[in-house]
Amino acid sequence: MAKIHSLKISNYRGIKKLEQVFGITDFICLIGRGDSGKTTILDAISKVLSPIWNQTFHDTDFYNGNISNSIEIEASLYDLPISLTNENKYGLYIRGLEKETNIIHDDIKDDYLEILTIKLIVDKNLEPKWTIVNNRENQEEIEMRANDRAKLNVFLVSDYVDKHFSWSKGNPLYSLLKQDDSIDEKNNIILDAFREAKQEIDTSSFNHLDDTVKKVVDSASKLGADIKDNTTTTIDFKDISINNQRISLHDDKIPFRLKGKGSKRIISMAIQTELSKLGGILLIDEIEQGLEPDRAQHLAQTLKRENKGQIFITTHSRDVLVELTTTDLFRVKNNYSKLYEFDSSLQGCIRSNPEAFFSNKVLVCEGPTEIGFCRGLNNYLITEKGINSAIKGVRFANGGGSTQIDYTKAFLNAGYKVCLFCDSDVQKINDEKSSLSFLGVTVIDSDDKKAMENHIFEDLPWDAIVELIEYRIEEKDEDSVKASINSKYTSELGENWKDIDSNDLRDAIYKASIVKKKEWFKRTDHGEVIGNISLKYKQKFLDKKLGKQIDQLINWIEND
C-alpha cells in the first residue's frame, strides 16, 4: 500500500513553504519545539490524502490568514495499489523515482520506481480540489476522487479519536472490515447486523408495560378498533437513526469513547496497525499523550518493530526518543523550508541525552563534571536573574569525552545553535576548535593544556576551596581525604591545614582530586555542587579564567 516519498506544503497554517524528501522509509518521527509545525505537517498529510470528499477549510487555515495565496499540499507516493495504477484509472499519470538521486521525473523508465503525485489546492472560495500531478507536455489535469483516496488507508490519531470506534464509512474500523475477503461489498453488513438486532428486540418481552397496553387495547375495542391480536411493544425504526455511526465498539455495556485518553489512542492505533498490515499510512500526533513513560516506550518500540505500512509520529518524550534511531528523526523548525536530518554519529547521544534533541540550543559539555557545573550555573540564573535555560531553549548534553567533537558537529548540522564547553588537555580536541569556531560554534575552553579542575583550584577563593574539601569529606571521611592530599603534597599537612592557602597546597588538592578511579567530582551531582559553590563566590574571581568562562556561558545562554 502507498507510502509517502516526498511532501510539499505551501501557505498552510504556520507553514509558508516546506519541501521535504523522506525517501524510502517506513517510520518517521517529527521533533521540534512547541508551535514549530509538527502537527501542521501531519494535518497536511491527512488533508491531501483524505478519503473525505467535503473537507472543511477556514480562512484561518491560510498562512497568516492571507486568502489571496492558495493552500497547496502535494504528496508523492510509492508502493501504490494496483487499482490506482491501471491505465483506466491513473496509470497514464505515473511518474518515476530515480532511487539513486531521489529525483522524481515526469517520465518513467524501467528502473524507476512508480510514483503518483496527489495535489490538494484550496483557494479563497474554500473549496478543496484534489488532482493528480504530472507535468508531461499535453497532459491534461485529472481529478482524484474521494473513493480512490480512501484506498490509500490514511488515518490520523489525534485528540479526536472517538469516531474511530464506530463502523461508519471513512473510519479505520470500516476500512479494516472491507479488507476481509469474505465480505460482500454490495451488502451493507453493518446495517444488516443492526436489523438483526432489531428483530431480537421485537421478540423480547416488555411485560412491565402489559397492563397499560391492555387498557389501550380494551379502550380501542370499545371505540371500534380491533387491535388486540397484533399489538406489541418494541422500538420504532423511525426513532432510531439507522446509520453506521450508531454502531460502535463497547467494553461490555460501556462505549469505548468513554475510556481514558491514553487507552482510546492505543485502541485507535491498534485498529490502524491491523489496517497497515496490508499497507497504509498511520499519523500519530504526540504519541505519548495520556500514557505512562513505560507504555509510551513500549508503544513506540512495538509500532516501529511490527509496522508493515508507513508511520509518522510526533513526540516531546525522551522515553519515546530512546527507542528510535537517528535515521527515524526529522527536526521541524519554524520558518525553515525543509526538515533537518540527523547524522548517525548522534546515535549514542540519543541514548544518553535525549532531552537535547528537543531544544533550540545545545551546550555540549565534555563530561559529567561540566554538565553538573552548568546545572549549578542554571541555579544561579534562576535565583539571581529570574531566567533559566529552559526558557532560553537551552539543553546541556554530555559530550562523552572522545565523542564531544562529533556531537557538536552533528547538532550544528541539524540546525541547532551549539556551544562546546571543554578542557584543553587533549591535543586532538584542540586541533578541531578553530574549525568549529569558523562554522559558528561558540567554544568555551580552558587555558592550553589545562582542564576545568585546574581552574577550579587555581582561581576560586580559598573559602570556596575549603567548601569543596568539606563536601568531599562528607562523601568519604576526613582521614582519607587528608591522606590523599598528603600523598601529593611536598611536605606534611598540619592540624590546621585547611586554614592555610598556598599554591603548593592548591596543586596537591587538584592532583588528589583527579586520581584515576578516585576522582572527586567526575559525576553530575558533584559537578553541580562545584557550580553552586563557584557561583556563590563569583564576584571574587571575575578576572580569572574560571570567572571569564562563567561570563561566557551566561552570555551564550541569555542571548538568542
Side-chain angles (χ1 to χ4, degrees), residues 109-143:
K109 295 181 180 179
D110 290 342
D111 58 340
Y112 284 1
L113 189 66
E114 289 188 342
I115 291 285
L116 194 66
T117 300
I118 303 169
K119 188 173 188 175
L120 166 64
I121 296 179
V122 184
D123 62 17
K124 63 182 180 181
N125 295 318
L126 304 181
E127 294 180 1
K129 182 180 180 181
W130 287 267
T131 58
I132 303 297
V133 172
N134 191 307
N135 297 316
R136 281 195 296 263
E137 190 175 355
N138 300 323
Q139 190 89 44
E140 294 183 3
E141 187 178 86
I142 184 172
E143 181 182 356

Side-chain angles (χ1 to χ4, degrees), residues 15-140:
I15 298 177
K16 183 177 182 180
K17 185 178 181 62
L18 175 71
E19 293 188 16
Q20 181 61 38
V21 174
F22 296 105
I24 308 300
T25 183
D26 296 338
F27 195 94
I28 295 101
C29 176
L30 305 178
I31 62 173
R33 302 292 282 183
D35 296 323
S36 60
K38 302 182 299 296
T39 300
T40 299
I41 292 173
L42 295 193
D43 285 341
I45 294 172
S46 177
K47 291 290 193 295
V48 69
L49 304 179
S50 171
I52 301 172
W53 66 271
N54 61 341
Q55 278 282 358
T56 302
F57 288 86
H58 306 279
D59 288 1
T60 51
D61 287 320
F62 291 76
Y63 180 74
N64 281 345
N66 183 3
I67 61 172
S68 61
N69 295 322
S70 297
I71 295 170
E72 295 187 11
I73 305 170
E74 184 178 297
S76 294
L77 304 106
Y78 62 100
D79 282 357
L80 300 159
I82 295 176
S83 59
L84 296 182
T85 59
N86 293 330
E87 285 194 9
N88 61 351
K89 187 55 75 170
Y90 305 115
L92 297 178
Y93 291 81
I94 292 295
R95 308 169 80 196
L97 171 65
E98 187 178 357
K99 289 189 284 187
E100 293 77 12
T101 63
N102 259 330
I103 295 175
I104 296 175
H105 302 274
D106 288 313
D107 293 305
I108 187 166
K109 295 181 180 179
D110 290 342
D111 58 340
Y112 284 1
L113 189 66
E114 289 188 342
I115 291 285
L116 194 66
T117 300
I118 303 169
K119 188 173 188 175
L120 166 64
I121 296 179
V122 184
D123 62 17
K124 63 182 180 181
N125 295 318
L126 304 181
E127 294 180 1
K129 182 180 180 181
W130 287 267
T131 58
I132 303 297
V133 172
N134 191 307
N135 297 316
R136 281 195 296 263
E137 190 175 355
N138 300 323
Q139 190 89 44
E140 294 183 3

Side-chain angles (χ1 to χ4, degrees), residues 315-343:
T315 186
H316 291 107
S317 168
R318 69 176 310 280
D319 303 293
V320 170
L321 214 61
V322 297
E323 295 300 324
L324 308 181
T325 64
T326 53
T327 56
D328 299 325
L329 303 182
F330 292 82
R331 181 176 178 236
V332 185
K333 191 173 179 181
N334 277 327
N335 302 317
Y336 277 70
S337 60
K338 69 185 297 292
L339 307 182
Y340 286 99
E341 300 175 44
F342 290 88
D343 188 86

